[in-house]
């Protein structure tokens, strides 16, 4: 799941957890010319703070049973971590991301930095420890069930706030249009989640509860894997005489409008109205349903990092001023790209990918 907390400046996105499904590797299709693309957002600097790592990915015909010895069908070693993946996506879409994180001065740490830099992510604000180990994850991709299992080893020593000076923080924030946190600061994330979701008996009422409990929250998105996503956006223009509608009933009516024959991502939205949930309260806002791309089973390779790609695309869309009706299908399409290739970054599309043309 994802919650997006947006302040006037810089915008802030905070991920609590996210899983999303997702389309063909970017390297199999011709690229669009830069002349055919819309101009890049004027404010392109994005600052991220969160996890990075190295992913050791092994595809297998089927998940092993206890004490089995099996062979992989393919192997890949590449950078990972929620923030690292999301900002790689942001960079490929044309923004200028900076990342605050920590690695050790080991072979894995050096490869993490080199890969991020090669994709255009500014790593000058990283903390590099002379001792310890950089984060890494073993990922088993099951070709039979189309699932993946992650075995993570955290980096050590962890990043602590005192390692970043005030001048470094101010420098990192200078000119930034948006700040993204991937939720790896789990103590803070758990407090927010516990407070926001308390006593919410259902998903729609939980979204409404979050907007009520966090008054600066502009919108909330929850992703539902192959079932797409739901977004609740606060409105400041609701009239006091607006009709009050139960959010559960509104969600069901939006679901009835989905066109199941479409394979590309779409978005269905309500009008601004007074949304309510029994025992929780009311909020003026709009409800959106975003659908995921229907990927043929023969093309679905690996869902690793699909959620990170979705978030990266949302960051780009916010910087570009996309309305939700355009943002949600765009993010779903970007996320879908990564699911047709092994690893979180292999299939991440560049801005010139022709599959993004209709969304851009």
């Amino acid at each position: 799941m994802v919650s997006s907390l947006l302040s006037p400046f810089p915008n802030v996105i905070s991920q609590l957890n996210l899983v999303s499904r997702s389309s063909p590797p970017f390297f199999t299709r011709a690229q669009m010319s830069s002349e055919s693309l819309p101009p890049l957002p004027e404010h392109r600097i994005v600052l991220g703070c969160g996890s990075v790592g190295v992913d050791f990915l092994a595809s297998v015909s089927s998940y092993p049973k206890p004490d089995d010895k099996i062979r992989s069908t393919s192997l890949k070693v590449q950078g990972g971590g929620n923030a690292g993946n999301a900002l790689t996506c942001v960079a490929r879409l044309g923004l200028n991301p900076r990342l605050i994180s920590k690695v050790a001065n080991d072979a894995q740490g050096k490869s993490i930095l080199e890969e991020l830099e090669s994709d255009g992510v500014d790593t000058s604000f990283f903390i590099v420890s002379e001792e310890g180990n950089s984060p890494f994850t073993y990922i088993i991709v099951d070709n039979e069930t189309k699932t993946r299992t992650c075995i993570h080893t955290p980096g050590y020593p962890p990043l602590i706030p005192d390692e970043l000076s005030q001048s470094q923080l101010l420098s990192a924030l200078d000119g930034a249009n948006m700040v993204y946190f991937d939720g790896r600061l789990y103590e803070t994330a758990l407090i927010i989640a516990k407070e926001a979701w308390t006593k919410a008996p259902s998903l729609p009422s939980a979204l409404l509860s979050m907007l009520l409990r966090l008054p600066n929250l502009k919108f909330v998105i929850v992703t539902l894997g192959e079932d797409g996503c739901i977004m609740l956006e606060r409105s400041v223009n609701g009239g006091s005489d607006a009709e009050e509608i139960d959010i559960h009933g509104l969600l069901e009516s939006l679901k009835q409008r989905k066109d199941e024959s479409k394979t590309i991502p779409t978005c269905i939205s309500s009008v601004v109205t007074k949304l309510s949930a029994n025992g929780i309260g009311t909020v003026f806002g709009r409800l959106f349903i975003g659908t995921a791309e229907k990927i043929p089973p023969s093309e679905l390779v690996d869902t690793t990092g699909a959620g990170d790609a979705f978030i990266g695309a949302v960051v780009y869309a916010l910087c570009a001023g996309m309305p939700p009706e355009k943002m949600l299908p765009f993010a779903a399409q970007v996320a879908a790209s990564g699911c047709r290739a092994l690893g979180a970054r292999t299939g991440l599309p560049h801005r010139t990918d022709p599959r993004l043309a209709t969304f851009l």
Side-chain angles (χ1 to χ4, degrees):
M1 308 204 176
V2 135
S3 70
S4 297
L5 285 71
L6 301 182
S7 59
F9 181 86
N11 291 320
V12 178
I13 295 185
S14 174
Q15 173 189 342
L16 300 183
N17 185 15
L18 183 149
V19 179
S20 176
R21 273 229 186 197
S22 308
S23 177
F26 67 88
F27 47 78
T28 62
R29 301 191 179 197
Q31 304 292 290
M32 292 187 290
S33 67
S34 58
E35 291 78 9
S36 64
L37 291 169
L40 284 165
E42 181 179 354
H43 303 291
R44 297 194 289 274
I45 299 176
V46 174
L47 175 63
C49 178
S51 64
V52 296
V54 174
D55 289 347
F56 297 89
L57 299 119
S59 294
V60 297
S61 298
S62 61
Y63 194 82
K65 298 177 181 178
D67 212 30
D68 266 0
K69 291 183 178 180
I70 62 173
R71 293 194 175 191
S72 63
T73 58
S74 60
L75 175 70
K76 181 177 286 293
V77 180
Q78 68 176 194
N82 297 132
N85 294 337
L87 291 195
T88 296
C89 176
V90 163
R92 292 187 183 181
L93 292 174
L95 301 185
N96 301 330
R98 303 166 180 167
L99 181 55
I100 295 174
S101 192
K102 185 174 183 177
V103 295
N105 188 22
D106 54 13
Q108 290 171 179
K110 293 174 182 176
S111 70
I112 290 169
L113 296 176
E114 289 173 358
E115 185 173 345
L116 288 169
E117 290 163 1
S118 69
D119 262 309
V121 178
D122 182 350
T123 64
S124 62
F125 300 100
F126 265 64
I127 301 299
V128 179
S129 172
E130 291 302 321
E131 299 179 347
N133 65 276
S134 298
F136 62 93
T137 304
Y138 297 116
I139 302 176
I140 303 173
V141 180
D142 185 342
N143 294 332
E144 182 179 36
T145 61
K146 305 297 184 181
T147 58
R148 85 284 187 273
T149 301
C150 302
I151 306 168
H152 179 63
T153 299
Y156 185 84
L159 176 64
I160 58 175
D162 290 345
E163 293 181 280
L164 289 166
S165 68
Q166 183 72 12
S167 62
Q168 286 176 307
L169 287 173
L170 292 176
S171 179
L173 285 165
D174 184 38
N177 180 47
M178 187 172 297
V179 179
Y180 160 67
F181 304 96
D182 68 5
R184 290 299 175 178
L185 300 174
Y186 61 90
E187 296 95 342
T188 304
L190 285 174
I191 291 173
I192 294 173
K194 182 178 179 180
E195 178 64 22
W197 292 77
T198 298
K199 299 180 181 180
S202 66
L203 181 57
S205 60
L207 299 180
L208 191 145
S209 176
M210 291 178 76
L211 291 190
L212 285 172
R213 292 172 177 267
L214 302 171
N216 290 327
L217 199 67
K218 292 186 177 180
F219 65 84
V220 187
I221 300 174
V222 57
T223 58
L224 306 170
E226 62 186 335
D227 293 323
C229 67
I230 301 171
M231 174 176 171
L232 178 59
E233 179 186 47
R234 186 192 305 275
S235 174
V236 296
N237 299 319
S240 58
D241 58 344
E243 179 186 3
E244 185 173 313
I245 299 178
D246 179 73
I247 192 170
H248 301 88
L250 180 59
L251 179 61
E252 290 305 313
S253 68
L254 293 181
K255 287 181 179 179
Q256 297 301 316
R257 290 166 51 190
K258 287 199 295 187
D259 186 348
E260 299 295 344
S261 67
K262 291 188 176 181
T263 59
I264 63 172
T266 59
C267 180
I268 305 103
S269 65
S270 73
V271 297
V272 175
T273 191
K274 191 176 185 179
L275 298 168
S276 66
N278 188 34
I280 293 179
T282 60
V283 167
F284 284 101
R286 299 175 69 196
L287 195 62
F288 302 82
I289 290 180
T291 66
E293 181 184 355
K294 295 180 180 178
I295 305 175
S298 60
E299 297 180 18
L300 179 59
V301 177
D302 179 17
T303 60
T304 301
D308 302 329
F310 184 94
I311 292 172
V314 167
V315 170
Y316 174 89
L318 292 172
C319 289
M322 288 186 188
E325 295 89 342
K326 188 174 181 180
M327 176 178 74
L328 296 182
F330 171 71
Q333 182 63 51
V334 171
S337 301
C339 291
R340 285 185 167 93
L342 182 62
R345 302 182 187 177
T346 309
L348 281 179
H350 288 77
R351 191 166 178 268
T352 53
D353 191 304
R355 290 165 302 169
L356 303 183
T358 57
F359 299 95
L360 290 173

